[in-house]
Amino acid sequence: MPEYLKKGDTVGILATARKIDLATIEPGIKLLESWGLKVVIGKTIGKEQNQLAGADWQRATDFQEMLDNPTIKAIWAAKGGYGTVRIVDRINFTNFKKKPKWVIGFSDMTVMHSHINNMDIGTLHAIMAISAKTATPEAIESFRKALFGEKLEYHIPAHPFNKKGKAQGELVGGNLSVLYSIQGSKSAVDMKGKILFIEDLDEYLYHIDRMMMNLKRNGSLDGLKGIIVGGMTSMNDNDIPWGKDALEIIEDVVKDLKIPIAYNFPAGHIKDNRALILGKSVTLEVNDKETVLKFE
């Protein structure tokens, strides 16, 4: 795990994918400052190349400079979208491996989470700077606790699809579409013996089925110790309906696995996006009343 933050530490905010302006991330800046943290704004904030926050080399350079800057203790993604996969292979992680720092975000940042988790280094799946204005108090407080190394533990009401059980293992995962897109690459998440978290947004329902079937058929689900299903938000369907919603699709694919599975966990593209420390050992307990997730 990277070192947890303390008051006076500096956090860098940058864009690895979609473009964003400074005014939009002001609530995120104020949030960090309210916790006694200093903020450095990346050169990609305000940059623009069509959808992206500058050219690939500009976004990679911004990330590299913050990664190598010893005064910056954490890197917070301003926004997701698409584009992080275009820069990950340009990054030199040599200095980062010697002294890791927190890399924070969700959605498209799943590329960085997975790539870094494969180095046996933890990352923080949490709200992004753009999310600070709309996130729930619970999501914000969980982000603060994770950043400062306070006890992180969740008690979530039971869902009808839940499969009971208890497991301990390293938490990995993130956005299902991104996990699917990096399968077969050196950034692919190693799921063997792990507890997998997945979430997604704005996908066609048959895409969810296709991605889950891929994970099943390539053997990724076989060695899992547990699964946590987060928000499956704003899904689309065709004129002829698929016939199942996203949670029903996932349940159908994983129902034969003899592991604890928790549904409707508050993390993902939702306002109540609770922080998850990926790469960290957790205990997952799913019982009749609730899902309990404890970070060790």
Side-chain angles (χ1 to χ4, degrees), residues 35 132 134-144 271-272 274:
W35 295 340
T134 55
T136 64
E138 292 82 3
I140 289 171
E141 178 61 7
S142 71
F143 177 36
R144 188 194 65 79
K271 291 180 180 179
D272 194 15
R274 310 283 179 94

Side-chain angles (χ1 to χ4, degrees), residues 199-249:
E199 62 84 28
D200 221 321
L201 167 80
D202 194 27
E203 282 290 346
Y204 275 88
L205 291 170
Y206 82 91
H207 290 183
I208 300 296
D209 190 81
R210 178 168 62 193
M211 292 186 286
M212 290 303 301
M213 287 303 299
N214 175 271
L215 295 184
K216 181 177 182 178
R217 295 187 68 241
N218 73 25
S220 293
L221 304 180
D222 294 342
L224 285 176
K225 288 188 174 180
I227 299 174
I228 300 170
V229 182
M232 290 285 160
T233 318
S234 302
M235 293 291 154
N236 306 300
D237 208 349
N238 302 92
D239 291 337
I240 302 173
W242 180 253
K244 292 185 173 77
D245 66 25
L247 294 188
E248 290 171 332
I249 290 168

Side-chain angles (χ1 to χ4, degrees), residues 20-27 45:
I20 190 168
D21 59 31
L22 184 60
T24 307
I25 61 170
E26 281 293 344
I45 304 302

Side-chain angles (χ1 to χ4, degrees), residues 4-110:
Y4 293 107
L5 271 58
K6 59 186 184 303
K7 285 185 178 181
D9 282 345
T10 300
V11 177
I13 302 178
L14 49 63
T16 62
R18 290 269 172 86
K19 61 187 177 185
I20 190 168
D21 59 31
L22 184 60
T24 307
I25 61 170
E26 281 293 344
I29 295 169
K30 289 177 180 174
L31 178 66
L32 295 181
E33 290 175 343
S34 74
W35 295 340
L37 298 169
K38 299 172 185 174
V39 178
V40 170
I41 303 301
K43 296 170 186 172
T44 44
I45 304 302
K47 271 209 168 43
E48 184 176 340
Q49 187 184 76
N50 301 316
Q51 293 184 10
L52 300 170
D56 292 346
W57 71 265
Q58 291 172 312
R59 301 193 325 281
T61 300
D62 203 14
F63 194 90
Q64 187 73 62
E65 287 176 355
M66 286 197 182
L67 207 63
D68 292 340
N69 187 337
T71 65
I72 293 176
K73 304 298 183 185
I75 299 173
W76 194 19
K79 189 178 182 178
Y82 168 77
T84 307
V85 73
R86 296 185 58 85
I87 70 169
V88 66
D89 292 327
R90 294 172 178 253
I91 307 300
N92 185 334
F93 290 92
T94 303
N95 293 332
F96 172 77
K97 288 178 184 176
K98 293 173 185 172
K99 191 163 179 61
K101 60 185 68 177
W102 291 106
V103 173
I104 309 155
F106 72 106
S107 190
D108 197 53
M109 283 298 285
T110 297

Side-chain angles (χ1 to χ4, degrees), residues 159-217:
H159 186 275
F161 289 170
N162 282 1
K163 286 196 73 171
K164 290 184 288 184
K166 188 173 181 179
Q168 185 179 36
E170 182 185 328
L171 184 64
V172 297
N175 181 265
L176 177 60
S177 298
V178 177
L179 292 171
Y180 172 77
S181 73
I182 59 177
Q183 287 286 306
S185 76
K186 58 187 175 186
S187 301
V189 65
D190 176 12
M191 301 182 193
K192 195 166 184 63
K194 312 286 176 64
I195 293 173
L196 175 67
F197 165 74
I198 54 173
E199 62 84 28
D200 221 321
L201 167 80
D202 194 27
E203 282 290 346
Y204 275 88
L205 291 170
Y206 82 91
H207 290 183
I208 300 296
D209 190 81
R210 178 168 62 193
M211 292 186 286
M212 290 303 301
M213 287 303 299
N214 175 271
L215 295 184
K216 181 177 182 178
R217 295 187 68 241

